[in-house]
Amino acid sequence: QVQLVESGGGLVQAGGSLRLSCVGSGASGRTFSEACMGWFREALGKEREFVAAIDRSGGTYYADSVKGRFLISRDNANTVSLQMNNLKADDTAVYFCAKTPRTAFYATRRYVEAQNSYEVWGQGTQVTVSS
């Protein structure tokens, strides 16, 4: 069974940084490297929203609210990280990692932003930014 486990969340002051990691298991590395991997977040009382994604080619996609502050990367075949810098109180949320099915080499922004493109989700990790 394919699973995703997030780690790295915590409490940080505004302006600080955190690095989230998402480790996949239950399948070969190609299962993850040949899929899009995305990060979403859900703040208390709000709907889950797209944060960032990376496709098979290494192309990256970001929500406007995090562009220039967050960086998504593949550390290895089954691990994706989200480096979050200059954190703001509005970044407080539970952050989820997710995986699509095997995709074409290049994805589209519409595809990676859509939650229903993803077939496997992690349990989430809490990020709290104090102002």
Side-chain angles (χ1 to χ4, degrees):
Q1 181 179 0
V2 176
Q3 292 184 321
L4 300 173
V5 177
E6 305 95 336
S7 63
L11 174 64
V12 64
Q13 289 187 332
S17 299
L18 281 175
R19 184 177 179 86
L20 305 184
S21 289
C22 171
V23 179
S25 64
S28 70
R30 285 181 61 181
T31 298
F32 305 95
S33 63
E34 293 182 353
C36 293
M37 299 295 293
W39 286 94
F40 291 77
R41 66 187 182 188
E42 186 172 326
L44 193 62
K46 296 186 178 181
E47 294 185 352
R48 189 173 299 187
E49 64 176 3
F50 170 77
V51 175
I54 186 166
D55 66 19
R56 286 182 60 183
S57 75
T60 56
Y61 309 80
Y62 298 94
D64 288 343
S65 60
V66 307
K67 198 171 296 182
R69 300 188 297 122
F70 289 13
L71 180 67
I72 188 171
S73 62
R74 291 186 187 268
D75 298 339
N76 54 48
N78 66 334
T79 304
V80 174
S81 293
L82 184 69
Q83 177 67 41
M84 306 187 296
N85 300 320
N86 191 21
L87 283 161
K88 305 176 181 179
D90 286 347
D91 295 320
T92 296
V94 177
Y95 284 70
F96 298 90
C97 175
K99 185 191 85 63
T100 69
R102 186 178 185 273
T103 65
F105 196 64
Y106 299 101
T108 65
R109 184 172 185 87
R110 173 179 284 189
Y111 178 78
V112 301
E113 286 184 342
Q115 294 185 43
N116 61 13
S117 296
Y118 296 83
E119 61 176 359
V120 180
W121 292 80
Q123 293 299 305
T125 184
Q126 176 71 46
V127 172
T128 303
V129 184
S130 63
S131 56

